[in-house]
Amino acid sequence: MTGRVNPERRLEDQGINGLGNVYYNLMEPALVEAALKRGEGTLGKGGAFLCSTGKHTGRSPKDKFVVRTPSVEDSIWWENNTPMAPDAFDVLYADMLEHMKGGDYYVQDLFGGADPEHRLDVRMVTELAWHGLFIRTMLRRPDREELDEFEPEFTVINCPTFKADPAKHGCRSETVIALNFEKKLILIGGTEYAGENKKSVFSLLNYILPGKGVMAMHCSANHAIGNPVDTAVFFGLSGTGKTTLSADPSRTLIGDDEHGWSDKGTFNFEGGCYAKTINLSAEAEPEIYATTSKFGTVIENMVFDKETLELDFDDDSLTANMRAAYPLHYISNASDSALGGHPKNIIMLTCDAFGVLPPIARLTPAQAMYHFLSGFTSKVAGTERGVTEPEPTFSTCFGAPFMPRRPEAYGNLLRDKIAAHGATCWLVNTGWTGGAHGTGSRMPIRATRALLTAALDGTLADVEFRKDANFGFDVPVHVPGVADLLLNPRRTWDNPESYDRQAAKLVSMFAENFAQYEAYIDDDVKAVAIG
């Protein structure tokens, strides 16, 4: 049982020998069958695959390393990327290969990127059959004929049963994610969390593409139906609403998480979506909900009834980071090509646990770069290990854990592309209103959708704006279908003076965080810096 593969590019041709059975490019039915036979999970309603990722129910960013080789020495943001010595990586690789001997492995040859000019040909080698199903869902799937000539540029090996040795391998714990750009290898060990697979490829593209003048973005994207020129991108960390807000039935979905912006336009990196399912409902998100009972969808860390196989979308006893991974074509309005035009609107999503930011604000290009570099949001429970309550944080470029290069490399690219193509930029708060987390309430999703619709269809261009006293950006005073009270966060608080104190606290946090970029930014961005 195996699929097609370039006969000159088998694992043994890469120096990976002594394995048991190696299954190349199995399709979804065979991968599901293999995973069930191996006891890796349960077949759910409609043929969804239900599984648990063990103790790792989120990413392990502190266990991620970049090998410090001469070719990347001067271009990696080392303050944000922990270095690993080349000799330690070599020992890690040798020990992992020794551990793998005799075991069965699943190989998927896939594309990272819908644009053939900029895609990355990636070989994924997974110990778990369901990891093969997951990454086949999440990346772009070659035609069967393309596999005959497939030449892997990078290889990712994921072996959860391998436990790293910090003293021997130069890492922090038994969990390790090690990127070696020179040897074109990524090694993942000691974790079953499937998100590490897709984020490792995202990190690769985040390094490679900016060197070609292509902006790599942690964002979702959509465009007007029948009009790719009217493209919108939604920056934001997990939990801010990228997947939910981009899956607008009145627009065509390009993708939900990771995209590039080239001289030709926008393109999705992926072939699937990885949606959080906590509190998901058929009423609020019918299409995403429907994917949870479709064949081949991977359901991670959800509680379900052992008899009926009914999923419990409200039970977060395993993790709040419960997820569904499904192919993009399971969403009826998804783009066949996963390509769009140059963004006409850029939305920066933030989940403000302080309850200070308005639900929407219009940004100048300089303000857009300021907020892009700041990347303010709140870590949402479950996205990372140990996070159980929302925590205010600054994650530059709305994705610092996946950014190998310095922030200004991405910020300057974004600034130049905004200037070249005249995009309008918006900051949208999907967090709290009427008070901070614990006192206020979550921003109503209907209001957020109404404001985004008004921004994308041009309605907001004609409304009255006020200048925000704390951040200096423009905030609409009245928008049809949205309560005026909601547009002025100070008025939503029972005690306006408490709001002022909270706002001053947040402003000081912005200023303190942004000081690290002062030496790298232009005067126009410095001029809009707050605090």
Side-chain angles (χ1 to χ4, degrees):
M1 181 177 67
T2 190
R4 294 169 77 159
V5 64
N6 184 339
E8 297 180 357
R9 291 295 181 267
R10 294 180 177 272
L11 289 185
E12 51 265 36
D13 299 308
Q14 297 178 253
I16 302 175
N17 300 296
L19 304 184
N21 297 308
V22 177
Y23 302 101
Y24 290 93
N25 297 310
L26 297 184
M27 298 182 73
E28 291 80 358
L31 288 166
V32 170
E33 181 182 13
L36 291 172
K37 283 183 177 179
R38 290 160 56 97
E40 295 176 1
T42 301
L43 191 65
K45 295 182 68 174
F49 185 78
L50 315 181
C51 59
S52 166
T53 62
K55 69 177 182 178
H56 292 269
T57 56
R59 291 180 292 101
S60 300
K62 294 181 180 178
D63 294 307
K64 182 179 176 182
F65 300 84
V66 175
V67 181
R68 196 162 198 156
T69 55
S71 61
V72 300
E73 172 68 37
D74 297 329
S75 52
I76 296 292
W77 180 21
W78 293 114
E79 294 88 347
N80 184 63
N81 294 270
T82 306
M84 174 180 281
D87 56 348
F89 179 88
D90 292 343
V91 174
L92 174 68
Y93 185 38
D95 287 351
M96 183 175 283
L97 291 185
E98 184 63 29
H99 173 85
M100 292 167 62
K101 285 185 176 178
D104 293 348
Y105 283 83
Y106 298 83
V107 175
Q108 287 287 320
D109 292 327
L110 301 162
F111 299 142
D115 184 343
E117 185 178 343
H118 299 296
R119 75 188 182 200
L120 184 70
D121 295 358
V122 181
R123 166 163 285 179
M124 306 292 302
V125 182
T126 62
E127 182 179 25
L128 295 172
W130 81 261
H131 273 194
L133 174 65
F134 171 90
I135 201 62
R136 178 173 174 79
T137 298
M138 292 310 305
L139 291 185
R140 309 287 303 175
R141 296 164 288 280
D143 294 334
R144 305 304 286 171
E145 294 74 17
E146 291 179 293
L147 293 172
D148 295 337
E149 305 295 330
F150 190 92
E151 296 274 353
E153 298 172 67
F154 273 82
T155 298
V156 182
I157 301 176
N158 189 326
C159 185
T161 60
F162 176 81
K163 309 300 181 187
D165 181 344
K168 190 177 183 183
H169 302 133
C171 52
R172 189 187 71 99
S173 72
E174 65 181 20
T175 300
V176 64
I177 303 100
L179 286 71
N180 191 322
F181 287 100
E182 193 166 275
K183 294 196 171 181
K184 300 184 182 300
L185 275 172
I186 298 179
L187 307 179
I188 303 172
T191 173
E192 293 182 35
Y193 182 63
E196 300 288 10
N197 294 301
K198 79 180 224 93
K199 290 304 183 186
S200 68
V201 177
F202 187 31
S203 296
L204 285 178
L205 290 165
N206 269 0
Y207 181 79
I208 294 168
L209 292 180
K212 301 164 65 177
V214 178
M215 178 68 183
M217 305 179 290
H218 186 206
C219 71
S220 56
N222 62 27
H223 66 71
I225 293 175
N227 184 16
V229 173
D230 185 3
T231 291
V233 299
F234 301 75
F235 285 103
L237 291 176
S238 176
T240 57
K242 292 195 315 301
T243 298
T244 297
L245 295 172
S246 59
D248 182 340
S250 67
R251 294 175 65 85
T252 297
L253 178 67
I254 301 172
D256 85 322
D257 198 37
E258 299 163 359
H259 293 77
W261 184 358
S262 72
D263 290 339
K264 295 188 296 184
T266 309
F267 62 96
N268 192 357
F269 289 169
E270 301 182 292
C273 299
Y274 193 35
K276 294 189 75 171
T277 56
I278 186 168
N279 303 135
L280 185 67
S281 71
E283 294 73 28
E285 304 294 338
E287 292 230 61
I288 297 176
Y289 184 90
T291 68
T292 62
S293 58
K294 290 189 175 183
F295 181 79
T297 293
V298 175
I299 303 292
E300 280 185 336
N301 299 318
M302 286 193 70
V303 174
F304 61 92
D305 187 287
K306 303 302 181 186
E307 275 190 66
T308 67
L309 301 175
E310 290 285 346
L311 299 170
D312 191 333
F313 293 88
D314 300 316
D315 189 339
D316 63 355
S317 57
L318 293 177
T319 178
N321 194 36
M322 56 180 80
R323 290 186 180 258
Y326 50 89
L328 197 61
H329 65 258
Y330 278 4
I331 301 298
S332 62
N333 63 322
S335 166
D336 292 333
S337 67
L339 303 174
H342 296 291
K344 182 179 178 182
N345 286 279
I346 294 173
I347 295 96
M348 298 183 184
L349 299 169
T350 182
C351 175
D352 173 23
F354 283 82
V356 169
L357 294 175
I360 194 167
R362 185 175 60 192
L363 307 176
T364 66
Q367 288 170 335
M369 186 169 178
Y370 177 86
H371 284 277
F372 180 71
L373 290 176
S374 297
F376 170 71
T377 190
S378 302
K379 288 181 181 177
V380 179
T383 302
E384 291 184 11
R385 296 177 66 205
V387 178
T388 58
E389 293 290 334
E391 298 176 359
T393 188
F394 291 89
S395 185
T396 188
C397 310
F398 295 100
F402 326 118
M403 303 296 167
R405 295 179 182 268
R406 281 203 55 84
E408 58 272 13
Y410 306 101
N412 289 336
L413 259 176
L414 182 65
R415 176 202 61 201
D416 293 345
K417 289 188 177 295
I418 290 173
H421 302 289
T424 302
C425 302
W426 307 90
L427 183 71
V428 172
N429 174 24
T430 62
W432 276 260
T433 185
H437 170 70
T439 303
S441 57
R442 196 74 190 258
M443 196 70 68
I445 184 66
R446 288 185 179 180
T448 301
R449 286 194 181 280
L451 290 168
L452 280 173
T453 297
L456 299 184
D457 69 14
T459 300
L460 284 190
D462 300 323
V463 306
E464 179 186 354
F465 285 83
R466 64 174 176 85
K467 192 74 67 177
D468 184 84
N470 297 301
F471 292 88
F473 41 49
D474 292 335
V475 181
V477 174
H478 174 76
V479 179
V482 179
D484 292 351
L485 180 71
L486 196 67
L487 296 170
N488 189 335
R490 189 174 188 269
R491 292 177 57 201
T492 67
W493 284 52
D494 292 337
N495 186 331
E497 288 73 23
S498 295
Y499 171 86
D500 292 339
R501 287 192 295 271
Q502 192 81 315
K505 180 179 179 181
L506 184 57
V507 165
S508 67
M509 288 179 64
F510 264 87
E512 181 180 355
N513 172 75
F514 201 76
Q516 64 184 301
Y517 307 120
E518 292 285 346
Y520 305 100
I521 58 173
D522 296 338
D523 289 341
D524 59 340
V525 181
K526 289 180 183 178
V528 302
I530 61 174

